[in-house]
Amino acid sequence: MNARQKKIGLHLLGWMLYFGYTLLGYFIYNWKFNILMLKFSSDILCLVEFYSCYLLVLPFWMKRKNWLMLGLGILGVMLLYTCLRYGIEETIFPILFGFRNYGEGTTLTYYFFDNLYWALPGIVLGAVVWFFEVTLEKERENRTLKQEKTQAELAFLKTQINPHFLYNTLNYLYSLAYPVSDKLGGAIIKLSDLMRYMLHESKDGKVELQKEVDYLHNYLDIYRLRFEDNFFVNFNIQGQVNGQRVPALVLIPFVENALKHGVVDDAAAPVTINLQLQKDRLYFDVSNRINQNQKDQTTGIGLPNIRRRLDLIYPGRYSLDVQEDGQQYKTTLKLQTV
């Protein structure tokens, strides 16, 4: 049974108990038939009010925080209650059963204002239940986010074992390689810097944007060793990198996927990486020609995982767009840096 079915079941149980309580009062207190019918009509209209607020007025206007429309919606529910009650108790009941709720001399003004009072319980009950369920849902989402964060932290701690080992080993290899080859020693140093960056920790999980940019440069320099002079990647930066903070390794997945599945040895179609900074906004796009002869079938870092991480860190404060036409592949990330 899913959450929706459980909610429906609880609502049905609640109304069964409510109407059962009315029937119990009928048998205990020996109510007359007319009192029972008036009580049932009032309860049915309370149910109509309840779901008018619970399903329509509150979800539609409360979430948008449009207080004027919310007030008009509640007033509309009151008018609906008043009109339906008049139609049932003052028009239908006299025809079918020969009695009505109000006396024949009751004015419409008195009837209207009196029923505004009687309309309140259904509206209040609908609001209480709606707010209660919304609060429970938010608490459930918060617990889920905390669990996912804990799992992500545990996964990150597991991945630290190998980087620590590799980082220490690379430092040793550098001491052996540097006297033999400056080029090899430089490559090992860059790889060592990558390992050190992966091990970087901060209280909020963020680093200075400049360190993320340095990581991208080191990553590209190491990748360039494989292709030497046939490595064509344009990395452009517009704006000032001056203290902005971003989550560690938030940009590298897009570059890694472009190099892994794209063409990097064609001067006519280079991989293009653009980083643009505007006040508190960061724009990052990566485009590449798709490698039609890709032999590596591994998927790399999947977009769903990237989106999920961004959802956790930047809820409602980022956009990620992917464009693909069979020849070109482009990802565009926009996020707030504060």
Side-chain angles (χ1 to χ4, degrees):
M1 183 180 293
N2 57 35
R4 179 181 176 82
Q5 291 173 331
K6 289 181 179 179
K7 184 183 294 187
I8 293 174
L10 288 174
H11 278 245
L12 289 175
L13 177 61
W15 288 113
M16 287 173 61
L17 292 174
Y18 182 82
F19 284 104
Y21 180 78
T22 296
L23 281 176
L24 182 63
Y26 174 74
F27 290 109
I28 292 178
Y29 297 106
N30 295 318
W31 290 348
K32 296 181 180 180
F33 175 75
N34 62 334
I35 295 177
L36 178 65
M37 294 303 298
L38 290 172
K39 183 69 172 67
F40 266 126
S41 71
S42 178
D43 290 345
I44 292 295
L45 292 177
C46 179
L47 187 149
V48 171
E49 272 192 303
F50 176 93
Y51 285 107
S52 296
C53 290
Y54 175 84
L55 296 176
L56 298 175
V57 176
L58 291 172
F60 199 75
W61 300 116
M62 190 68 186
K63 288 185 176 181
R64 291 167 173 78
K65 294 184 178 180
N66 190 325
W67 309 119
L68 175 62
M69 294 305 299
L70 177 64
L72 292 175
I74 293 175
L75 181 59
V77 172
M78 288 182 169
L79 291 175
L80 176 65
Y81 173 89
T82 302
C83 293
L84 289 177
R85 191 176 186 192
Y86 186 87
I88 294 173
E89 298 179 358
E90 306 302 315
T91 303
I92 296 177
F93 278 9
I95 296 174
L96 296 179
F97 307 116
F99 65 85
R100 59 186 348 126
N101 190 13
Y102 288 78
E104 293 185 3
T106 303
T107 64
L108 289 177
T109 302
Y110 176 85
Y111 186 87
F112 174 78
F113 285 104
D114 187 53
N115 278 276
L116 288 182
Y117 170 80
W118 293 109
L120 285 176
I123 294 174
V124 172
L125 181 62
V128 169
V129 173
W130 186 81
F131 278 109
F132 179 73
E133 291 184 358
V134 168
T135 301
L136 287 181
E137 185 64 27
K138 287 183 178 180
E139 291 181 355
R140 190 181 301 111
E141 290 177 357
N142 290 334
R143 286 197 300 269
T144 301
L145 289 176
K146 289 180 180 179
Q147 291 174 355
E148 291 181 355
K149 183 179 180 181
T150 301
Q151 292 173 356
E153 290 174 348
L154 291 174
F156 178 72
L157 290 174
K158 290 179 181 178
T159 63
Q160 283 189 309
I161 298 175
N162 286 337
H164 272 299
F165 171 75
L166 290 175
Y167 174 63
N168 294 330
T169 303
L170 287 172
N171 285 332
Y172 173 71
L173 292 177
Y174 170 74
S175 66
L176 298 178
Y178 187 76
V180 179
S181 170
D182 292 346
K183 186 176 182 180
L184 177 59
I188 293 177
I189 280 295
K190 290 183 182 295
L191 186 57
S192 177
D193 289 339
L194 294 184
M195 293 296 105
R196 182 167 60 244
Y197 181 74
M198 291 175 62
L199 295 173
H200 178 83
E201 294 184 17
S202 63
K203 292 183 179 180
D204 60 359
K206 293 184 178 182
V207 297
E208 291 184 2
L209 178 59
Q210 184 61 57
K211 292 184 178 181
E212 185 82 0
V213 171
D214 293 341
Y215 182 92
L216 291 176
H217 280 301
N218 287 336
Y219 184 86
L220 293 173
D221 287 343
I222 292 176
Y223 213 95
R224 185 177 285 108
L225 295 174
R226 175 182 172 187
F227 297 89
E228 297 184 346
D229 295 334
N230 292 319
F231 184 73
F232 302 100
V233 176
N234 298 329
F235 187 6
N236 308 306
I237 300 178
Q238 296 180 355
Q240 297 295 320
V241 181
N242 55 4
Q244 301 95 330
R245 290 174 62 80
V246 296
L249 303 174
V250 72
L251 303 180
I252 188 61
F254 305 103
V255 176
E256 180 181 346
N257 284 343
L259 301 186
K260 186 179 184 66
H261 301 293
V263 177
V264 299
D265 56 357
D266 185 358
V271 175
T272 302
I273 305 170
N274 295 312
L275 174 62
Q276 183 179 1
L277 301 165
Q278 295 180 356
K279 294 183 180 180
D280 60 346
R281 298 279 181 173
L282 180 150
Y283 302 87
F284 186 71
D285 66 76
V286 182
S287 60
N288 62 274
R289 184 161 65 88
I290 298 174
N291 189 348
Q292 305 297 338
N293 299 316
Q294 176 66 252
K295 295 181 180 180
D296 191 346
Q297 298 300 318
T298 59
T299 58
I301 301 174
L303 277 177
N305 292 335
I306 298 173
R307 288 186 188 276
R308 187 54 187 154
R309 187 186 181 205
L310 291 171
D311 284 337
L312 292 171
I313 302 174
Y314 294 100
R317 296 186 290 119
Y318 85 94
S319 66
L320 177 58
D321 179 61
V322 178
Q323 298 178 3
E324 180 181 0
D325 60 7
Q327 298 296 322
Q328 288 287 129
Y329 190 89
K330 181 178 181 179
T331 55
T332 302
L333 172 66
K334 302 177 184 178
L335 54 82
Q336 298 179 9
T337 56
V338 293

